[in-house]
Amino acid sequence: DIRLGNEVVSTSFDLSDWDVVAVATGARWSGIGYSPYRPEREGIPGAEQGNVIDLGTAIRLAVADPSSLGSRVLILDETAGYLPLGLAELLADGGIESIEVVTPQLLVGEDTMKSLDMVYLFPRLADKGVALTSQHFVEKIDGNDVELYDVWGGPRREINVDTLVLSQFKEPNDALFQSIRHNSSVDIHRIGDCVAPRKPAAVIYEGEQFGREI
């Protein structure tokens, strides 16, 4: 019985009807700007502004209308993955004139080199005018002004953007699990990113393992 288009809350179903409940509600992108590169602060100053959005929100908006993010978009990435670069390409294809991907890591999109995507993706991004800046981080956001700095020192750079996209880390979306976890009448589990955000291969393995065990 597969039901689509329904939001599940703790009162959506009677737990006693089931022998096992698996909660696989995934994770959500963080939007506070916290980073292990700046452990002394809770987040990026100015991250609470309306023009600062998380990666998941940015993708949903860009798929519907790339221009909704404005004409100058900065993507701060710490995932090293394909997704923020895919967003950059989507925006470029949508006619956005200024797109820059910044990371404090040694390379932008390091994991795309391991997956063999880099040799195809990076030429496309270069051809579309997407700027890739490594070993830089955001000091603060003040309105439309974003201050960038080299992680190794040197002069700082201020750029003007319409939207800053934070592509950093995910947090478990486990509210449903927490609301039903103490029910003793049913065997309740949480699996996948609801436990802890990980690579897709890890959660696919976990889902397969759980299915076989029950």
Side-chain angles (χ1 to χ4, degrees):
D1 181 10
I2 301 174
R3 306 181 193 182
L4 305 178
N6 288 276
E7 181 180 0
V8 179
V9 295
S10 60
T11 57
S12 297
F13 53 92
D14 185 353
L15 289 175
S16 63
D17 291 340
W18 309 97
D19 298 317
V20 179
V21 173
V23 180
T25 46
R28 59 186 175 274
W29 288 96
S30 174
I32 64 173
Y34 173 77
S35 170
Y37 288 88
R38 293 295 300 273
E40 83 285 0
R41 64 186 193 183
E42 295 182 356
I44 299 173
E48 72 284 352
Q49 295 178 182
N51 62 338
V52 182
I53 59 177
D54 66 84
L55 181 61
T57 300
I59 290 173
R60 287 192 295 272
L61 291 173
V63 167
D65 177 14
S67 66
S68 63
L69 273 67
S71 61
R72 299 158 299 170
V73 179
L74 176 67
I75 302 171
L76 173 63
D77 179 55
E78 293 182 59
T79 70
Y82 193 104
L83 199 55
L85 298 174
L87 171 63
E89 186 170 24
L90 177 65
L91 292 172
D93 289 342
I96 306 308
E97 62 185 42
S98 176
I99 307 161
E100 183 172 357
V101 182
V102 173
T103 183
Q105 297 161 343
L106 291 177
L107 291 173
V108 174
E110 282 186 64
D111 284 357
T112 63
M113 179 169 56
K114 304 171 189 174
S115 64
L116 305 182
D117 290 306
M118 181 178 280
V119 294
Y120 304 102
L121 175 61
F122 277 40
R124 297 202 307 266
L125 294 175
D127 185 59
K128 295 172 183 180
V130 176
L132 305 177
T133 306
S134 62
Q135 301 175 58
H136 280 69
F137 200 65
V138 173
E139 175 62 29
K140 62 181 179 179
I141 309 123
D142 184 7
N144 294 104
D145 296 323
V146 178
E147 184 177 306
L148 298 176
Y149 66 92
D150 188 314
V151 297
W152 303 113
R156 302 195 170 200
R157 175 165 66 103
E158 189 171 278
I159 62 174
N160 192 264
V161 305
D162 294 314
T163 302
L164 170 61
V165 179
L166 299 180
S167 170
Q168 295 176 288
F169 66 95
K170 287 183 173 181
E171 302 170 306
N173 188 22
D174 63 352
L176 176 61
F177 173 78
Q178 297 298 340
S179 68
I180 65 174
R181 60 181 297 191
H182 297 299
N183 190 302
S184 59
S185 64
V186 64
D187 188 16
I188 301 174
H189 301 261
R190 57 176 167 171
I191 60 174
D193 281 359
C194 179
V195 178
R198 286 156 287 159
K199 301 288 186 183
V203 296
I204 290 171
Y205 175 85
E206 185 178 46
E208 172 77 10
Q209 182 182 44
F210 177 75
R212 291 179 181 274
E213 287 176 351
I214 62 172

